[in-house]
Amino acid sequence: MLPLKDNVPTRTFPLVTVGLIVANAAVFGWERRALNLRTAEYGYYPCDVVGSCVGAARHFERLPWYESVFTAMFMHGGWAHIGGNMLFLWIFGNNVEDAMGRVRFLGFYLLGGIAAMAAQTAVTVHYAGPAAESVPNIGASGAIAAVLGAYFVLLPRARVLTWIVFVIREVPAFLFLAVWFGFQLWEGGFGLTHPQDGGGVAFFAHVGGFVFGALTVHLFAIRRPLRPRW
């Protein structure tokens, strides 16, 4: 399922949402010139937290984990990766920003990314072993998942125009996001056993980010989002 737009207006221009999209695009333009090298240098490695790195991850210098947790949030593995992430951020982020305000939304987004990486690290370390822990994780998906969790709580009755295979339909937001969340759980289980096939995309980061967003949204929101147009 691919979202195309929702039916919820905003009070103000979503400056932070647009700024995050621009920042991610700029970083992608920089990293794609040497994608593998920059993923290795600036990606987030769960093994760095517990000191269990093996293979190539043991033999090159890179940022410490408390810095790479931020740099990895703005990196992507390809055009489809960044395109999908930025589409989700644009459609769902503007309304969450409208409810939180710009400064609070930015803080929420970054904390959501940290929570997402923490969840991925905990699951990978507990279940997957050193080889999986030594695969770099990249992508804004965890932080964006926090935005989706917040939207799920704030606007469950909104409607999302969705491309489903060859059909375009309006889908209730709660259903769209519930299906998305279930898919992340399924993909996360596969990623534990075959992390290299995920291209550095951490699916349990999506799960952790979504849960963080759903649980903390009311700590950040300062007003209700506008009602759907129809």
Side-chain angles (χ1 to χ4, degrees):
M1 299 194 303
L2 189 67
L4 302 177
K5 66 176 183 179
D6 68 356
N7 66 342
V8 185
T10 59
R11 298 175 179 87
T12 59
F13 180 76
L15 182 63
V16 173
T17 299
V18 172
L20 288 169
I21 292 171
V22 171
N24 277 276
V27 171
F28 181 67
W30 165 78
E31 68 169 303
R32 66 186 294 266
R33 299 173 188 172
L35 183 60
N36 291 336
L37 176 61
R38 286 169 177 165
T39 297
E41 291 179 339
Y42 297 97
Y44 170 82
Y45 292 77
C47 67
D48 283 335
V49 178
V50 294
S52 62
C53 296
V54 297
R58 295 183 60 186
H59 301 298
F60 58 84
E61 293 186 5
R62 56 183 177 273
L63 294 178
W65 66 266
Y66 48 83
E67 294 180 17
S68 64
V69 71
F70 293 103
T71 57
M73 279 188 220
F74 292 88
M75 301 179 70
H76 292 84
W79 287 104
H81 190 193
I82 189 172
N85 275 353
M86 296 305 102
L87 178 62
F88 272 73
L89 179 56
W90 170 248
I91 291 174
F92 298 103
N94 59 347
N95 300 112
V96 177
E97 179 180 344
D98 195 47
M100 294 182 178
R102 291 168 178 166
V103 174
R104 284 173 173 263
F105 177 69
L106 179 60
F108 170 82
Y109 180 91
L110 295 174
L111 288 173
I114 294 171
M117 285 301 190
Q120 180 65 40
T121 299
V123 171
T124 303
V125 168
H126 186 74
Y127 291 104
E133 294 161 20
S134 301
V135 176
N137 297 167
I138 59 172
S141 310
I144 295 169
V147 174
L148 302 188
Y151 193 103
F152 182 81
V153 173
L154 292 171
L155 289 161
R157 297 182 181 178
R159 301 189 72 82
V160 181
L161 189 66
T162 305
W163 181 23
I164 310 171
V165 190
F166 299 111
V167 178
I168 296 177
R169 294 184 181 276
E170 282 190 350
V171 177
F174 76 88
L175 178 60
F176 180 96
L177 294 171
V179 170
W180 180 90
F181 184 72
F183 181 75
Q184 305 313 307
L185 287 172
W186 183 80
E187 284 286 344
F190 178 79
L192 284 177
T193 55
H194 298 83
Q196 67 280 3
D197 293 343
V201 181
F203 288 102
F204 272 104
H206 304 175
V207 174
F210 189 94
V211 172
F212 171 86
L215 293 177
T216 66
V217 56
H218 289 303
L219 299 177
F220 291 87
I222 57 176
R223 59 190 176 187
R224 292 181 178 273
L226 295 178
R227 296 173 62 86
R229 289 193 181 95
W230 61 85

